[in-house]
Each structure stands twice: as C-alpha cells, then as structure tokens.
Amino acid sequence: MKSRIPLVLLACGSFNPITNMHMRLFELARDHLHQTGRYRVIEGIISPVNNNYGKKGLVSARHRIAMAQLALETSDWIRVDPWESEQEKWTETVKVLRHHYNESLRWLQFRKELVRNNWPTERTTEDFLSSLDPDVNIAVRKIANLLKPDKEIIQNGDHMIIKTLSTFRNYIMEFDVGKEFEEDLAGVDDRKCMTNVSWDGDKLLCIQKGEKEGRGWTQWIEGDEMHLEIRVGGVKCKQVFKKVQ
C-alpha cells in the first residue's frame, strides 16, 4: 500500500442533512480505488456548503456540521471540514477543491518531515491532544506538534479576544475576565466546556469544566516573551511566544 498514490476523497454539498448513503459513497469509492492496486485513500472529507448557497430550506451550517460530526463519530478516516461553510459567501467548488488540495500537500510535507527528522516523543503538543482524546486524528496531532502559531491578544477592559493563528487552523477565543461562558472547542477536540478565565496575580488562569478533568491553561508575560502552559488530566504542555515589534 505504501507504494500506491495517496488520495483524499472530498465531497461538497449541502448535507441537509447528511444521510447513510453519503457515508456509504465514501466507503464504495475507497474500496474501488484500493481494488485498482494503484491508489491508497488516506482521508475522506465532507465539506458542507455555505449558508449563502441559496437552497430552499437549507438549515444553518452549524447544525449541518454538528449532524455530520455525530454521524461520523464511528469513522476513523472520514471527517467534517467547516472551511467552506465559514467563508463570507458561497464558494465555487473549484476553489474548495484548490483549498483542500493545498492543505493535503502541506499535510504530506509535514509527514515527510516527521519521517526524515525522526521527531522525538517527549511530552509535547501532540501528547496534550492525545490526552484530550486518544481518537484525535494522529495526523492532526503530528501537524500541531510542528506548527509555530501566532498569538494576537486584544484587550478592552475586562473583555479579551485571543486569536491563535496558523497555516493549518485558526482558533479565536472571546470572553470577559471572571465570567463563566460555554466554550466551543470545534477544531481542537470538538468538545464544549464551561470556561472561566480570571486573573491570578499577573497571570491569566483558565479553568475548563467538561468531560476532561484538570483541563485549563495559564498565560503570563516575562520580558518580551509570553508563556502558555496548557493542562489536561495531569499532562502539561508549555509554549513560549516572542513579541513581534
């Protein structure tokens, strides 16, 4: 199988809602491609269309994505990608294909770097994600371990916006210090939790109550560096960001 051409199966559509046949089509396509002896399917992606598609009776994208995620809970190779639905307007299929083609190339390059450099297995971002959920896609864990994300923090009194930006995935957290809120961790481990961020001296302390015990993070500044310690179930991961002038 290793010598075969790697392929990613992508299905665009409304998925209003997703059906058993949608998922069955992926299985049939993969089986056929494997039987040719030429190809190796490494992933399947379901890409729900944007709300501005204009189809009569189209349910909100967040509900269609949630339904698809529930339907695919038992699949270890098909996932839902919200990128298309998150665009400002309806996106042509060819542009969606180009986006995922580029993302797949980037993923394959990361994989080659992992093999070539024999990356160590000490406790890193990958271990943190594994502690959140052993079923988190291994490719996602490997990529997260290689990324060097940017942090952008916007503060207006007690209201804060923390943006974590990378070439692979972005995550935006908006909250009021000292007020508990429901946090949707879609794209991280696809869970929801009740989150409270407060000041602990000159450090921001975050406590996330949900399925996983001891989950949260601490963030503080030392000189021109911002330190971030994230925790879950006794596992800790440390990240350090340097200030950009």
Side-chain angles (χ1 to χ4, degrees), residues 44 105 117 179 200 225 230:
L105 287 180
N117 295 303
K179 293 184 179 180
D200 181 15
E225 294 180 340
I230 50 180

Side-chain angles (χ1 to χ4, degrees), residues 32-46:
H32 171 73
L33 289 165
H34 284 178
Q35 287 171 6
T36 66
R38 298 181 57 193
Y39 306 104
R40 173 170 54 94
V41 176
I42 59 176
E43 185 179 30
I45 300 174
I46 285 179

